[in-house]
Amino acid sequence: MDEFDPGFLEPIGLGVAEGALYLWLLRRPRAERSELTAALGMTAGSLSRAIGNLVEAGLATRLPGRPVRYVPAPPQVALDALTTRRAEQLDRLRGVTRDLAAMYEEAPRGGPGDLIELIEGGPAVRHHIAQIQLAARQEVLLIDCPPYLGGVPEHNVEELQGLRRGVAYRAIYHMPTLHDRERLAEISTYIEVGEDARTLSDVHMKMMIADRRVALIPLSFEMSETGSRILVHRSPLLDALIACFDMLWERAAPMGAALRGGHRDKELLTLLASGMKDAAIMRSLGITQRTMTRRMSALLEELGATTRFQAGIQANRRGLV
């Protein structure tokens, strides 16, 4: 069993000494104290503590009689029971954490210093970006645009984790950044997991809002990355940021069509807006009537329109034509 790390019991609250002792007992059931002391190189006191911890955890049992001997509990039964118990304890801790977070958020806040915080430096900003998402329980709202920390967008692991645990994500992207194929492919992975993504032709209001209780915005919306952010707690300022996001969301175009049709759908919208007839559009794009009908239906759905005229208005409002 030399291939086993003696620290393997640490996730259930036992240390390296207990792990080494349990592994030895599995090799040598009914081992005597003197044998264990010599084999493991422990002092009598350390061995007594380790044995006591194993017995208390149900991983070892003392046999009656002399000399004193110990036998290990079957790993599958004993360890499964311990891991289940620890998982239950962690679940209870998560519940307490949520209650404590709610209590913290509901606590009265006095002056401006309690409503906003200045976060300075790349590491601190990244930490808060991650923590805000990890603490989200219902919804995260994002507006993504340059400039970025480190010069390029960073892979949002916390978003993927949040989406998989049921947190809703709504994101608005700055359209010019989607011309980068790698960036578009990355956003596609978020959409595939469940992100609701839209795009605007020109947006420069980078922000993140979690559960409508806290927001993170740049210190400045100028086209330079200062490495500083403002953390906004519940306040009229947060309400204004949420209202701003909702307004931009209504104007933004869903990205589903962009990902499925991309440049070709923009061509179709442009030709429709010019007043060109169907036959001329089909010749220009080299598509059949069936393809034309299918793509038109998809675009109407994506734009929330019931007629071509409404689609043209929506496309123009959202900067697609």
Side-chain angles (χ1 to χ4, degrees):
M1 298 185 188
D2 293 338
E3 69 274 15
F4 287 96
D5 179 359
F8 75 104
L9 294 178
E10 289 179 350
I12 57 173
L14 297 174
V16 172
E18 288 79 7
L21 175 57
Y22 185 67
L23 289 173
W24 186 260
L25 288 175
L26 290 174
R27 293 191 192 96
R28 300 283 191 278
R30 308 174 69 86
E32 297 181 22
R33 264 182 177 272
S34 58
E35 181 184 357
L36 294 171
T37 303
L40 298 172
M42 293 183 182
T43 64
S46 297
L47 182 65
S48 293
R49 284 191 296 272
I51 289 177
N53 291 335
L54 286 184
V55 170
E56 184 179 357
L59 290 175
T61 303
R62 175 179 172 173
L63 295 175
R66 295 287 180 178
V68 176
R69 298 175 185 272
Y70 294 89
V71 293
Q76 186 170 359
V77 176
L79 290 176
D80 278 354
L82 285 172
T83 53
T84 300
R85 188 192 315 163
R86 180 52 60 95
E88 292 171 350
Q89 292 171 341
L90 291 174
D91 284 339
R92 287 196 293 272
L93 178 58
R94 291 188 188 98
V96 171
T97 301
R98 287 192 292 268
D99 293 340
L100 290 174
M103 182 174 67
Y104 171 77
E105 291 298 330
E106 291 168 4
R109 300 185 186 276
D114 294 324
L115 301 179
I116 62 173
E117 300 176 44
L118 179 61
I119 312 300
E120 295 186 278
V125 169
R126 289 184 178 91
H127 172 76
H128 279 79
I129 289 173
Q131 289 303 309
I132 287 172
Q133 295 180 88
L134 291 172
R137 290 180 284 171
Q138 298 175 335
E139 180 184 54
V140 174
L141 310 177
L142 296 172
I143 298 181
D144 180 277
C145 68
Y148 299 103
L149 283 172
V152 295
E154 297 181 5
H155 188 57
N156 195 345
V157 175
E158 290 77 23
E159 175 175 353
L160 295 176
Q161 294 174 348
L163 287 166
R164 291 184 176 115
R165 71 173 188 271
V167 177
Y169 270 75
R170 288 195 287 150
I172 300 173
Y173 293 97
H174 183 57
M175 186 179 291
T177 63
L178 305 182
H179 298 160
D180 184 322
R181 290 187 178 183
E182 290 186 5
R183 180 59 174 158
L184 185 59
E186 181 173 14
I187 293 171
S188 299
T189 63
Y190 304 142
I191 294 174
E192 288 169 4
V193 179
E195 179 186 274
D196 190 357
R198 295 189 178 186
T199 182
L200 280 171
S201 59
D202 189 35
V203 58
H204 296 289
M205 294 189 66
K206 185 197 304 284
M207 69 174 71
M208 172 184 290
I209 304 172
D211 292 339
R212 299 182 177 246
R213 63 175 178 78
V214 64
L216 195 65
I217 60 174
L219 186 61
S220 170
F221 289 121
E222 297 295 326
M223 287 300 292
S224 60
E225 175 54 63
T226 62
S228 300
R229 297 287 188 277
I230 299 174
L231 188 67
V232 183
H233 296 283
R234 282 194 175 117
S235 62
L237 174 57
L238 178 60
D239 294 339
L241 291 173
I242 294 170
C244 178
F245 179 91
D246 289 339
M247 180 185 67
L248 293 174
W249 182 259
E250 289 301 316
R251 291 179 50 204
M255 282 187 59
L259 292 177
R260 288 193 295 271
H263 178 65
R264 298 289 284 173
D265 283 335
K266 186 171 182 180
E267 284 183 338
L268 175 57
L269 285 169
T270 302
L271 295 175
L272 285 170
S274 71
M276 188 178 290
K277 301 297 183 183
D278 284 4
I281 291 175
M282 288 186 289
R283 285 196 301 272
S284 176
L285 297 179
I287 59 177
T288 64
Q289 178 66 58
R290 183 177 179 181
T291 301
M292 173 79 173
T293 302
R294 186 178 69 251
R295 287 172 61 182
M296 271 304 307
S297 297
L299 283 173
L300 289 173
E301 181 181 353
E302 292 287 350
L303 293 169
T306 56
T307 67
R308 294 186 183 191
F309 178 72
Q310 291 175 350
I313 293 176
Q314 289 292 335
N316 184 61
R317 283 177 57 197
R318 297 174 180 182
L320 297 176
V321 293

